Each structure stands twice: as C-alpha cells, then as structure tokens.
Amino acid sequence: MSLATDLELLLAEAEAALAQAADAASVEAARVKYLGRKGRLPELMAGLGAVPPAEKPELGRVANKVKNGIAAALETATERLGGAGCHAGSAVDVTLAGRRRRLGRKHPISQVMDDTIAVFRRMGFIVAEGPEIETVYHNFDALNTPDDHPSREPQDTFYFPDGRILRTQTSPVQIRVMKNIKPPVRIVCPGRVFRRDTPDATHGMNFHQIEGLYVDKNVSLADLKGTLATFARELLGEDVKIRFRPHFFPFTEPSVECDFSCIMCGGKGCRVCKHSGWLEIAGAGMVNPAVFRAVGYDPEEWTGYAFGMGIERIAMIRHRINDLRLLYENNTKFLHQF
Ligand code: DAH
C-alpha cells in the first residue's frame, strides 16, 4: 500500500473514532493518538523521507488534507459535546478568576440634579423645562432686569447674531410657564446655563441650575424658608440648618440669599466655609409684582416665592470636590469614585 492510501485510511479511521467519542476525555485521547507528537500522523509522515522527490509535493498535499480533516473532526466532536468552555483540558481554563466588568454610572452632576428634583417632587413640585437658546425678553426684560444691568453686556452673556442669547439663568422658564398656565403654579426648572466667565476652580462657561417657583394665594417668606429648609435636610442631612440674608435680585422683592450650615464642620468653621460656618447655596425671594404684571397675573390677587441654585456647587460640597473643572474633564478614575 502506498503512503497516500495509508494517510487517507488514517483520516477515515480518525473521523469514525471521533464521531463516536462520548466525552471530552475520549476526544482528547483521539487528539493525542492521531496528532500527538508520537501519534499516528507524525509516524506516517516519518516515511516521507524515503519517497522519491517527484512524488513529494502530491504526498504533502494529501498529508495536509488529512491533518486539517482530523483537526476539523476534533472540533466537531468538541462542539457536539457541549463546547470547549465546559470541560477541563480544553482551551478555556474554567478555574481562572473572572474579569471584573466595570459598570457605567451617573455623573455626579446628574446624581445631584436627580436627587434635588426628587426632593422637590415629594413636596408637590412638577418639572418644567425651557430652551437653552433664549430671548432677551424672557431672560432679562420680563424678569424686571434694568436695561443698563451689567449682566446684559456681551462681556457676560453669549449673543447670537439674531439677537437671541444662551440663557444665563433658569429664571426665564418661570416666565414661559406663567405665560402659559393660570395660577396656582408649583414648578422646578432644572437646566444648563451659560455665562461668559473665565473658567477657574469655581467658575465655568456653562453650569447647571435649578429654579423653583410657587404661586398661590397668601404665599409668604415663611413658606419659602420651610421649603428650602426641608430641601437642605433631605439632600444633605438632618442637622443642616438654613439662614436668610438680605440681598437684591430684580425679579424678587424682598430678595434673600440662602445659606446652609456647613456640612464639613457642622457650623463650627473650617476652610470650606471660610470659617463662617455657612455655605451660600441659593438666591431667592418673593416674586416681584413687576414680574407678575409682565406675565399677566394680577399682583393684588397672587403671591409667590422663587429661588434658584447652582447644581455644581451642591455637588462640590456634597463630595468635597475643590475644583469645578474636575466635573467636566470626565476622567474615569475621578468619576468612578461616585
Ligand atoms: N437667577 C439667579 C442667578 O442666576 C438665581 C435666583 C435668585 C433665582 C433669586 C431666583 C430668585 O428665582 O428668586 O443668580
């Protein structure tokens, strides 16, 4: 018999054996028997040396076909028996430790925003949104901002060639909502705002605010204080206290700034609160009658409070972050901490 015939017979034998293999061990035994270093195929190939040179290319071709055929039969048998992964001795080592899969998560700004919205929703506020590209009317005029107010300058506000602007605050959403619905109104307006600031540790050219507005009969500053105090405790902890300081905003009268007691030192004074024991969190006040008139509400009939605060600032306090820019670099090593 020629070597070529022997090779063909070997393939047939191996295929038959593998078709009957009942477990992974028999498949492995067949691999060793036919393709192993001292197996049948190498044994036959040793005879190639004695073959006349003219016949060698043809025999080489047959040998290759047989080798590939046996390999294919091995693979088929392995697959038939349930795949490589399930059996010891296969290419997959099932005893290896697993690889941890890193899950994505919400950005700290989104976390604070969502938590903030959740607190106000529990108090009966609903969410209203407005456009980031605003008109000067909604962002300034209707909010009773004087014509010569510095915040209107192109130095501070981004203007489009058509005269519209990137909103500098979420307050214009108040105007849009009040023009659309009749009182009572109880809304929060989360969103991105833009200012032409030079970025540093506490300023960015865009950041996030949440605005609140409550309009009803007989609303008082005490209602505002109760709402903000509840918010402070829910978001930052039972012991957080708030205080009001007189301030000025064109759209509220009287206006206040609302401070939360410092959550780092509990009010004793530390570096974060600049040793005052208090952190500036929100601007607020009673809605100015001029704003009510601009949206067609009767200021004799309706009263309301409004407030606005920066989300980045709350995130920085909550997580003790000392540079705003960290929140925008999206370094995953930083973000994975939250
Ligand atoms: N819009 C103000 C700002 O960006 C924040 C603010 C202050 C909002 C007082 C209000 C408010 O609704 O009553 O600084």
Side-chain angles (χ1 to χ4, degrees), residues 4-38:
T5 318
D6 287 345
L7 283 166
E8 298 280 5
L9 284 174
L10 183 70
L11 175 57
E13 181 191 322
E15 280 174 343
L18 281 163
Q20 279 167 30
D23 51 33
S26 340
V27 175
E28 176 60 10
R31 190 190 65 75
V32 174
K33 177 171 173 192
Y34 296 105
L35 298 183
R37 206 157 49 81
K38 292 182 180 157

Side-chain angles (χ1 to χ4, degrees), residues 87-278:
H87 298 278
S90 64
V92 173
D93 182 350
V94 294
T95 66
L96 270 179
R99 271 192 208 135
R100 185 193 294 269
R101 271 186 201 239
R102 299 264 210 153
L103 282 182
R105 65 194 75 191
K106 265 193 261 174
H107 192 280
I109 293 175
S110 303
Q111 286 178 29
V112 170
M113 189 65 107
D114 290 353
D115 293 351
T116 302
I117 291 170
V119 172
F120 283 112
R121 284 174 71 114
R122 287 200 289 276
M123 290 193 270
F125 288 77
I126 58 169
V127 173
E129 286 183 294
E132 290 174 359
I133 299 175
E134 252 310 358
T135 62
V136 168
Y137 171 77
H138 290 93
N139 195 90
F140 293 122
D141 301 343
L143 287 163
N144 196 36
T145 311
D147 286 341
D148 58 356
H149 198 278
S151 66
R152 291 179 180 251
E153 294 292 316
Q155 191 123 335
D156 289 321
T157 298
F158 291 104
Y159 280 81
F160 288 92
D162 67 2
R164 287 184 304 166
I165 58 169
L166 287 174
R167 67 177 175 193
T168 62
Q169 48 190 356
T170 43
S171 308
V173 186
Q174 292 184 25
I175 303 299
R176 289 180 175 273
V177 170
M178 287 193 282
K179 282 196 165 247
N180 263 316
I181 61 171
K182 290 196 162 57
V185 177
R186 185 151 36 180
I187 52 163
V188 282
C189 323
R192 198 185 280 270
V193 301
F194 306 83
R195 286 184 199 175
R196 214 161 167 171
D197 275 327
T198 308
D200 64 21
T202 53
H203 295 86
M205 289 203 274
N206 69 83
F207 54 100
H208 296 76
Q209 286 186 334
I210 188 161
E211 187 85 9
L213 173 70
Y214 177 42
V215 181
D216 207 333
K217 305 230 156 127
N218 304 316
V219 178
S220 73
L221 209 58
D223 296 322
L224 170 64
K225 202 164 183 182
T227 304
L228 289 177
T230 304
F231 167 70
R233 283 197 302 269
E234 293 257 330
L235 197 78
L236 297 173
E238 265 307 301
D239 302 327
V240 178
K241 297 188 177 41
I242 71 164
R243 74 173 183 189
F244 282 172
R245 276 179 295 110
H247 201 75
F248 174 80
F249 295 103
F251 27 90
T252 41
E253 180 58 39
S255 300
V256 296
E257 259 192 337
C258 179
D259 299 340
F260 290 8
S261 60
C262 181
I263 58 160
M264 319 287 176
C265 61
K268 284 194 277 299
C270 66
R271 266 183 50 205
V272 176
C273 59
K274 301 199 184 89
H275 303 284
S276 71
W278 296 94

